[in-house]
Amino acid sequence: MKKPIIIISFLGIVIVLMLILRISLVNSISTTGITLVNIQSKIASYKRENELLKVAYLQSASYATIGKEARKLGYVPVTSEIDLSAPLPLALAK
């Protein structure tokens, strides 16, 4: 007669332990989900910022922008050509 009481008590203790384990797992999963959402929103923000930086880089590296900045600094276009196939003199004669 003591065996059914021991088995029922053991099963009751196992059920209580499993309930505690389930509660802790659900709590862990819920806080992990919030962290995951925060990380995903940061990733999306960084991707948008990366695209904006890429556009800004491409605009600043364009030939039109480089030419405009060169003109501001006083550079002028080259009008004379140098023929590299002909030998160059070592010194200019006066």
Side-chain angles (χ1 to χ4, degrees):
M1 191 137 179
K2 282 189 162 189
K3 277 190 173 183
I5 294 174
I6 293 174
I7 292 174
I8 292 174
S9 303
F10 176 73
L11 290 176
I13 292 171
V14 168
I15 289 172
V16 169
L17 290 175
M18 291 183 116
L19 284 174
I20 292 171
L21 178 65
R22 182 178 183 272
I23 290 170
S24 67
L25 285 176
V26 167
N27 187 28
S28 172
I29 289 171
S30 68
T31 56
T32 304
I34 293 170
T35 305
L36 180 63
V37 168
N38 290 337
I39 290 172
Q40 286 174 341
S41 67
K42 284 184 182 180
I43 288 172
S45 171
Y46 290 142
K47 283 183 179 179
R48 281 191 302 272
E49 185 178 351
N50 192 27
E51 287 297 320
L52 292 174
L53 288 173
K54 186 187 291 185
V55 168
Y57 167 73
L58 291 175
Q59 285 176 345
S60 66
S62 71
Y63 288 127
T65 304
I66 292 172
K68 187 183 349 173
E69 291 297 319
R71 282 188 294 279
K72 281 183 189 176
L73 293 173
Y75 289 95
V76 293
V78 175
T79 56
S80 65
E81 295 180 12
I82 298 175
D83 185 12
L84 295 177
S85 62
L88 296 174
L90 293 177
L92 293 175
K94 276 199 162 189

